[in-house]
Amino acid sequence: MIQFFTVCWTRQIPHVFLLAGQIARHYPSASLHVAWADGHVTLPEVPANVKWVEEIPALMPLRQRYTQTELLELSRPFVARHLLAGDPLVFLHPESELLGTLDRMEILLQEQPAVLCSQWLRPHPDTHLPDSKFHLNYGTYFSGCWGIRPGAVTDSLLNWWCHNLETRGGYQPCEGRGSDQLWLDMTPALFEGTYPIRDAAYGIQYANAFERSGTTPLTFHYGGYDYGQKQFPAYLTDRPIPDFFRRAAAAYAEKVLAHPLYASLGTKVPAWGLPDPPKPVAIGRQRWADRIGKMIRTINTWQPGFLFPQAQS
């Protein structure tokens, strides 16, 4: 029997409790282990299948090294290493929906040390963002949905992953750092049996919904969704989001906003980690800025320092 875990901020606890209900529906005997990348709060009426993860010492020094989002994401393999025991373990992003049983992943985890979900399942023209270069910078595999089973290979994988994240776990694409996710690109080469699952039902999110049909999905992931505006922000993607995923995200938002804990917890600022940088501008504005920047650089090759010389120093 597989078990589940997630890592969340306090403000994501309503999402986690919704996820716990979905797990109980499809896996009545399974538990959802929940770790905070945040300060603890006192919670009323915890779902029976939710198990809180105690403090993990290896993560404590990282609270003042990484931003809130970086800490949330790089915590995942540390928690996995702490939890992995007799049963296979599946990670789901806290803002996820489990829509059925993960039969293929369960079968693979009987033999394979780790099962990954691909961001894309086929090549696409790089006319929209996220594009191929984005995934080369941030990861070919989706760190919001993966599974592992106990064994020597898995132990080596988790130790290697955690070791790298201790010092190289931030978002610095020019230096080859894409938080926890980019490291997954190397795992099929370094750890024998790590299996990238090619299945359109797994790991559906804003960056790949355009290539999925929406028929018989198993996991939806809504990380980055704006619950007030009920849409994905324009800085995340300029790809068309298909109706099936747009409707699913809006319906999920209604459940989150209606959850009894959302009013008290939904806006809490994470207690751990350095402040996150400002949100990026919309992709359309980024493209215009890139075009104008190229034009300025071209003009300055004709007449050096003609435009904005102080900005070139």
Side-chain angles (χ1 to χ4, degrees), residues 11-308:
R11 71 183 186 215
Q12 293 173 313
I13 288 171
H15 307 76
V16 168
F17 284 7
L18 291 174
L19 180 60
Q22 295 153 13
I23 290 171
R25 187 177 314 125
H26 299 295
Y27 290 92
S29 300
S31 295
L32 172 62
H33 300 266
V34 181
W36 269 286
D38 199 345
H40 287 221
V41 295
T42 302
L43 297 172
E45 202 173 340
V46 174
N49 65 331
V50 168
K51 310 296 181 187
W52 301 120
V53 178
E54 64 265 25
E55 193 172 89
I56 299 174
L59 283 172
M60 296 303 104
L62 306 184
R63 292 181 295 177
Q64 295 304 315
R65 183 179 299 168
Y66 292 109
T67 68
Q68 295 156 355
T69 297
E70 289 168 346
L71 182 65
L72 177 74
E73 296 179 351
L74 67 83
S75 297
R76 298 163 182 171
F78 289 88
V79 177
R81 186 173 63 175
H82 179 78
L83 290 174
L84 190 61
D87 293 317
L89 191 62
V90 172
F91 174 80
L92 291 175
H93 186 284
E95 297 175 43
S96 297
E97 281 192 296
L98 179 66
L99 304 168
T101 55
L102 307 179
D103 297 340
R104 189 174 178 198
M105 184 177 279
E106 288 186 77
I107 292 170
L108 290 169
L109 285 173
Q110 293 175 14
E111 301 291 339
Q112 315 301 139
V115 176
L116 309 178
C117 294
S118 299
Q119 298 274 16
W120 286 357
L121 298 177
R122 56 185 183 273
H124 300 285
D126 286 337
T127 53
H128 295 280
L129 291 175
D131 59 4
S132 302
K133 185 65 168 63
F134 177 92
H135 291 311
L136 287 174
N137 285 340
Y138 288 98
T140 302
Y141 303 111
F142 177 48
S143 67
C145 180
W146 43 275
I148 51 176
R149 73 176 177 92
V153 173
T154 308
D155 291 343
S156 296
L157 188 162
L158 291 174
N159 287 333
W160 168 85
W161 198 2
C162 291
H163 172 73
N164 283 299
L165 290 174
E166 285 178 353
T167 57
R168 294 179 287 178
Y171 279 115
Q172 294 173 306
C174 293
E175 298 181 21
R177 301 182 190 179
S179 193
D180 67 318
Q181 189 165 261
L182 187 57
W183 295 101
L184 290 175
D185 282 17
M186 298 181 68
T187 58
L190 299 181
F191 302 97
E192 186 173 0
T194 302
Y195 189 90
I197 192 170
R198 290 185 52 79
D199 193 318
Y202 289 78
I204 302 172
Q205 30 100 10
Y206 74 87
N208 63 22
F210 71 95
E211 69 163 23
R212 312 295 173 94
S213 68
T215 58
T216 62
L218 290 175
T219 67
F220 281 151
H221 308 272
Y222 305 114
Y225 193 73
D226 186 323
Y227 293 93
Q229 299 295 320
K230 294 188 180 176
Q231 63 183 10
F232 287 96
Y235 63 80
L236 287 176
T237 182
D238 65 349
R239 291 187 178 276
I241 296 179
D243 286 343
F244 81 86
F245 192 63
R246 195 183 299 277
R247 289 194 302 269
Y252 177 76
E254 292 289 347
K255 297 175 189 174
V256 170
L257 295 172
H259 193 278
L261 290 177
Y262 184 81
S264 58
L265 302 181
T267 59
K268 279 194 174 292
V269 176
W272 294 347
L274 304 173
D276 281 333
K279 299 294 185 186
V281 299
I283 288 174
R285 293 186 179 183
Q286 294 177 37
R287 291 189 188 279
W288 273 109
D290 288 344
R291 292 191 189 103
I292 292 170
K294 289 177 182 176
M295 182 180 68
I296 291 171
R297 288 191 292 273
T298 301
I299 292 172
N300 283 338
T301 61
W302 302 336
Q303 186 171 344
F306 179 71
L307 289 176
F308 307 112

